[in-house]
Amino acid sequence: MRKKRKKFEEEEIVADLLPVMNVMFLMIPLLLAAMEYASFASINVSPPRFSAASAEKKPDDAPKEKPLNLKVMVLEDGFLISADGQQEGAEAGKATNSKAPTIPLAKPGTPLNDYARFDYVALEQRAKNYKEMFPNETIVTISAEAHIPMQSLLYTMDALAGRECKLARALKGGAVPANCYFWQPVVEAGAG
């Protein structure tokens, strides 16, 4: 009896994985082809809006300010600025004059990855001027052409907020500093 037992212990069971691998190999292109026709639902997401707590209450009979609706479009050849649906510098009676930038490039002819090509100083000065006219406004809508690098968009946000703007205390309930202009950007897809 010992011999039979020894023979049984020496046998190895070999699993043949080749048929399973063949089936998987055939399934991969089928699944990839099926993904071309599958539809996905998308949800539009926008960043949360926040503001510093207001200590004073406004009376209901106070006249309401007309909103500024400041929009800045980052184009390959400069910034296009519009406020309340009116492009800055457009002819009277026309909402938009052309696709010509309101603030041209600081360094024309430089490549898109040269982030100093845009005139951020002039943009910050325009933001300061708008803030003096509309002191309660903090929101700006920013859009950019498809080829504009993300870093240029970030520099644009910094210029519109004010390069010296520090909001740490304001977000904890303190007053917003005077050197903070439009510090709540809303980024939209595509310029135009």
Side-chain angles (χ1 to χ4, degrees):
M1 282 206 162
R2 278 193 156 175
K3 284 186 178 179
K4 284 185 180 179
R5 190 181 242 180
K6 204 174 196 180
K7 219 178 198 183
F8 181 72
E9 289 176 2
E10 290 178 6
E11 280 184 38
E12 288 185 33
I13 299 174
V14 177
D16 190 12
L17 296 177
L18 190 60
V20 174
M21 295 300 288
N22 286 339
V23 169
M24 292 305 291
F25 184 71
L26 292 173
M27 291 287 289
I28 290 172
L30 180 68
L31 290 173
L32 289 174
M35 292 305 292
E36 287 291 320
Y37 301 104
S39 64
F40 292 99
S42 65
I43 299 172
N44 291 331
V45 179
S46 62
R49 296 179 183 214
F50 59 91
S51 63
S54 178
E56 61 184 63
K57 298 272 183 183
K58 291 186 179 178
D60 290 337
D61 59 344
K64 294 196 177 199
E65 256 185 42
K66 187 176 178 184
L68 176 61
N69 295 328
L70 182 64
K71 292 186 179 188
V72 176
M73 287 164 264
V74 185
L75 307 174
E76 289 183 15
D77 55 346
F79 297 110
L80 185 66
I81 301 172
S82 66
D84 197 27
Q86 178 69 36
Q87 178 184 337
E88 189 175 310
E91 291 180 23
K94 293 184 179 179
T96 58
N97 196 15
S98 67
K99 296 259 181 191
T102 308
I103 301 173
L105 294 175
K107 292 182 177 179
T110 56
L112 281 173
N113 60 0
D114 181 7
Y115 307 124
R117 72 189 303 241
F118 293 101
D119 195 352
Y120 299 110
V121 175
L123 180 63
E124 184 174 1
Q125 184 60 43
R126 295 280 173 100
K128 183 179 180 181
N129 294 343
Y130 276 117
K131 187 65 174 181
E132 288 171 358
M133 292 186 287
F134 294 87
N136 296 326
E137 284 286 334
T138 59
I139 299 172
V140 60
T141 303
I142 303 171
S143 60
E145 288 183 327
H147 301 292
I148 302 297
M150 184 64 170
Q151 190 63 43
S152 296
L153 195 63
L154 293 174
Y155 287 154
T156 302
M157 286 184 213
D158 288 343
L160 289 167
R163 287 178 289 168
E164 302 298 321
C165 179
K166 304 289 186 226
L167 288 170
R169 289 187 185 147
L171 295 177
K172 293 178 183 177
V176 176
N179 60 355
C180 292
Y181 311 127
F182 298 95
W183 47 273
Q184 289 183 309
V186 176
V187 180
E188 287 183 341

